[in-house]
Amino acid sequence: MDNYKETTPISKEFDFSKVPSWYTLCTNNDCPLKADCLRYLAGQNTPENVEVAKCVMPKTLKDSECQWFDRIKTSVWAAGFSHLYDNVMKKDYTKMRKTITNYLHGTKIYYEYMRGERALSQEEQQWIRDYVKHMGYDWEVEFDSYFEEYVYNHKEKAND
């Protein structure tokens, strides 16, 4: 985590509100993989008011293997880049801003990232750092804040 100033660590209390609505849960208490599975962790922390959810069926576990297994991983995300252009020369500003805006999928979403309303993945952070270097700047890009969060596998089946 060399590139990160103070990083807010992941909370010891699991926050179910951060589980994406598309994420498949698991409640199989007999699974030998449950201690390392994010689907099981999320399933065990489902709030009482959740009545219906997409879940892995226990019968999918075969020979201690589960195609839905999603190993618990965390990543450091960045929020906001309000000072990104502070040291950019005027002649480079428009090109840099347009290129980063295009990379971040358009003006509306660009501003959500810039204000920290959307978080930048490590890959997105690195792309921005590499682009700034490509433009000839040798300073280290700092984002407004950093935080650790779970990485939810977005594939329908973990092995796909």
Side-chain angles (χ1 to χ4, degrees):
M1 288 202 250
D2 301 358
N3 287 331
Y4 309 111
K5 54 185 181 181
E6 295 178 34
T7 301
T8 303
I10 199 161
S11 173
K12 295 197 184 307
E13 286 290 318
F14 188 87
D15 185 355
F16 190 83
S17 70
K18 294 182 179 178
V19 177
S21 59
W22 48 259
Y23 194 67
T24 303
L25 308 177
C26 178
T27 58
N28 185 357
N29 293 324
D30 296 326
C31 181
L33 305 171
K34 68 184 181 184
D36 298 316
C37 185
L38 187 54
R39 295 185 196 283
Y40 184 80
L41 180 62
Q44 292 305 297
N45 286 281
T46 305
E48 293 293 322
N49 65 336
V50 174
E51 295 180 3
V52 177
K54 186 175 177 182
C55 292
V56 176
M57 298 300 292
K59 67 182 179 181
T60 61
L61 180 68
K62 296 195 174 29
D63 300 323
S64 296
E65 296 281 327
C66 179
Q67 64 184 349
W68 292 87
F69 177 72
D70 190 11
R71 183 170 303 282
I72 296 172
K73 307 183 277 262
T74 61
S75 183
V76 176
W77 298 78
F81 50 88
S82 59
H83 298 285
L84 179 62
Y85 304 106
D86 287 0
N87 298 315
V88 173
M89 294 189 310
K90 186 176 180 178
K91 70 178 184 69
D92 295 331
Y93 172 79
T94 300
K95 178 181 180 185
M96 186 180 282
R97 198 178 133 244
K98 282 183 179 180
T99 302
I100 294 173
T101 298
N102 287 337
Y103 175 73
L104 296 176
H105 311 293
T107 305
K108 179 182 184 297
I109 295 173
Y110 165 88
Y111 280 108
E112 291 173 359
Y113 279 114
M114 187 188 76
R115 291 188 299 258
E117 296 165 9
R118 286 182 185 244
L120 293 157
S121 69
Q122 289 181 323
E123 293 80 18
E124 292 164 331
Q125 294 168 51
Q126 192 58 51
W127 186 92
I128 291 171
R129 285 186 178 103
D130 291 346
Y131 182 70
V132 167
K133 293 233 185 295
H134 168 77
M135 290 292 294
Y137 295 95
D138 62 356
W139 39 268
E140 189 59 44
V141 172
E142 289 274 341
F143 296 95
D144 296 348
S145 66
Y146 300 89
F147 61 94
E148 187 180 27
E149 192 55 70
Y150 290 109
V151 177
Y152 294 92
N153 186 332
H154 67 276
K155 296 179 182 177
E156 275 299 303
K157 292 183 183 176
N159 292 341
D160 287 349

